[in-house]
Amino acid sequence: MTVRGLWSRSRLGAAVVGVGSLIALSLLPVTAAAGAAVRYEAEVATISQGVVESNHLGFSGTGFVNYDNLVGSYVQWTVNASAAGTATIGLRYSNGTTTNRPMDITVNGVLVSDELAFGSTTNWDTWATKTITAAVNAGANTIRATATTANGGPNVDFLDFEVAAPTSDYQAENATISQGVVESNHLGYTGTGFVNYDNVVGSYVEWTVSAAAAGSASLAIRYSNGTTTNRPMDITVNGALVADELAFNGTTNWDTWQDATLTAPLNAGANTVRATATTANGGPNVDRLTVSGGTGGDTEPPTVPGNLRSTGVTSSSVSLAWDPSTDNVGVVAYDVYNGRSTRSRSRPATPPVCRRPRPTRSPQPPVAACRAWRWRPTSTSVGAARRARRASCRPPVSSGSRWRSSSLTAHATRPGTAPAS
């Protein structure tokens, strides 16, 4: 989810921000659906004994963290997981020396990687990613990378965080069986056996599966078919057909197993998944059903960051403030852009100071806009000049499975001029 508020500035003056340049306020959420990697820039993390720099090439975001050359310097990120599980953590770094700069990696205060090596990347403009896995809790988690030698840590660009979608196995022998029998006379099955369908149309296995929240899930039916003939089955979820005569082709012999997969919507709570034979050969031997996902992800967008305003102006900078956004998971940061270039990034409690851009001959009137994905914003006010008019978002227009940008405009006056009409 990303929400942006765009506005341009009029001539600099008392309690007025900037000159003629376009700035975008971007709200970055802290979580995504399970299985989707989320990037957390180092420059907006908590930094102890290090500094944000941008004097080398190839970094992401607005810069990177240069660790001080001492033991104990660290960067700590707060990340969010939509569900507890095993996370994949990728640390992008650069080490222009020939000496390893190891770091201890802790998750929620627990050491998960002792003196993880961050070897040379040849020069400071070349970046590599070090990847580990660790257990995380549902919700907020802290990940800290701490230097363990007097050289400090490498330059650190960002952390990528991904929690694998939760999976659940449902054995066929424990499901509801109609016109079939549990057997164990072939090799390679899991659990205590498998279901051998009777050779009739309509024989089936039906599982009851659970989903934490409504959403799409991946269904994988592990089966064996020792014949050369396809044994198709209809797959229904909660009585609705989701796969018509799904193919279950031959697996060479009855001791060889493979998965037939599909994606289907699940409701929050209990769901029934039925695999029904559609030919007189019946179905294949079925071992289990594996359900991946179905957590629904984080589908609630953050609110609009409202009341954008200036809190102080000097000859070379502008201090900004706004009413904070709220989110069911949390807000990572607000980005401030000058055109397409990032001007600064601020944590929720730390509004940025923007340096004054070069004056333009024809200052443009301020313009505000907001964007969101699958979201119908209501309204917000944007004020960064002495006088600004209230503005409201127009609902976005549906475009396939996503939303196009919506926008709002507000004209603010330069000092000593009448409000724009």
Side-chain angles (χ1 to χ4, degrees):
M1 304 177 289
T2 300
V3 181
R4 289 184 172 88
L6 305 180
W7 54 283
S8 60
R9 301 174 292 179
S10 61
R11 189 188 307 272
L12 187 68
V16 183
V17 281
V19 185
S21 176
L22 186 66
I23 281 186
L25 179 63
S26 178
L27 172 63
L28 304 180
V30 295
T31 189
V38 180
R39 179 158 298 173
Y40 297 85
E41 297 289 341
E43 63 269 24
V44 295
T46 299
I47 303 165
S48 175
Q49 298 172 303
V51 62
V52 176
E53 295 181 348
S54 57
N55 57 331
H56 295 295
L57 302 176
F59 60 84
S60 170
T62 60
F64 54 85
V65 174
N66 181 353
Y67 280 62
D68 290 350
N69 299 124
L70 48 83
V71 175
S73 50
Y74 69 80
V75 175
Q76 178 173 293
W77 296 264
T78 297
V79 304
N80 265 259
S82 57
T86 299
T88 300
I89 300 166
L91 287 162
R92 189 172 190 254
Y93 77 97
S94 178
N95 180 358
T97 74
T98 58
T99 304
N100 175 33
R101 294 194 172 188
M103 296 197 290
D104 284 346
I105 311 301
T106 60
V107 175
N108 299 322
V110 177
L111 183 67
V112 296
S113 186
D114 184 29
E115 295 195 287
L116 182 65
F118 289 83
S120 174
T121 59
T122 308
N123 58 62
W124 294 107
D125 297 325
T126 301
W127 300 84
T129 300
K130 182 68 68 170
T131 302
I132 63 170
T133 59
V136 295
N137 302 323
N141 297 263
T142 58
I143 300 175
R144 179 180 293 188
T146 305
T148 60
T149 71
N151 291 322
N155 289 348
V156 173
D157 186 18
F158 59 71
L159 177 148
D160 274 348
F161 179 79
E162 179 178 358
V163 180
T167 61
S168 298
D169 287 342
Y170 298 87
Q171 294 295 332
E173 64 269 25
N174 299 326
T176 299
I177 304 165
S178 176
Q179 296 175 300
V181 62
V182 175
E183 294 181 347
S184 59
N185 58 330
H186 294 295
L187 303 176
Y189 60 83
T190 63
T192 60
F194 55 85
V195 173
N196 181 353
Y197 279 62
D198 290 351
N199 300 124
V200 294
V201 174
S203 51
Y204 69 79
V205 174
E206 181 177 282
W207 298 266
T208 298
V209 305
S210 181
S216 293
S218 174
L219 309 181
I221 299 174
R222 189 171 189 259
Y223 77 97
S224 178
N225 180 357
T227 75
T228 58
T229 303
N230 175 31
R231 294 194 172 188
M233 295 198 290
D234 283 346
I235 312 301
T236 60
V237 174
N238 300 321
L241 183 67
V242 296
D244 184 29
E245 294 194 289
L246 182 66
F248 290 82
N249 292 308
T251 59
T252 306
N253 57 62
W254 294 105
D255 298 324
T256 301
W257 302 82
Q258 64 186 49
D259 288 337
T261 60
L262 68 150
T263 300
L266 297 182
N267 300 327
N271 298 263
T272 57
V273 178
R274 179 181 292 188
T276 304
T278 60
T279 72
N281 292 320
N285 289 349
V286 172
D287 182 25
R288 71 182 180 211
L289 168 70
T290 299
V291 180
S292 303
T295 62
D298 180 10
T299 59
E300 182 177 336
T303 61
V304 179
N307 192 23
L308 179 61
R309 59 196 180 274
S310 167
T311 58
V313 179
T314 71
S315 61
S316 61
S317 67
V318 175
S319 297
L320 304 178
W322 53 83
D323 295 341
S325 297
T326 59
D327 187 65
N328 61 313
V329 177
V331 175
V332 169
Y334 301 90
D335 282 348
V336 177
Y337 289 85
N338 182 14
R340 293 186 179 181
S341 300
T342 305
R343 183 54 66 108
S344 69
R345 176 169 287 175
S346 170
R347 290 184 216 124
T350 313
V353 174
C354 294
R355 298 301 169 190
R356 181 185 180 186
R358 182 182 302 172
T360 60
R361 292 188 178 183
S362 302
Q364 298 176 349
V367 177
C370 61
R371 298 195 306 177
W373 177 69
R374 292 177 178 267
W375 170 55
R376 292 183 181 272
T378 53
S379 66
T380 185
S381 60
V382 178
R386 296 180 68 182
R387 296 184 294 274
R389 302 175 65 189
R390 185 172 182 83
S392 60
C393 278
R394 296 192 302 272
V397 180
S398 176
S399 176
S401 61
R402 293 183 178 271
W403 297 103
R404 294 202 299 269
S405 298
S406 61
S407 63
L408 61 86
T409 60
H411 293 280
T413 61
R414 298 191 295 274
T417 63
S421 59

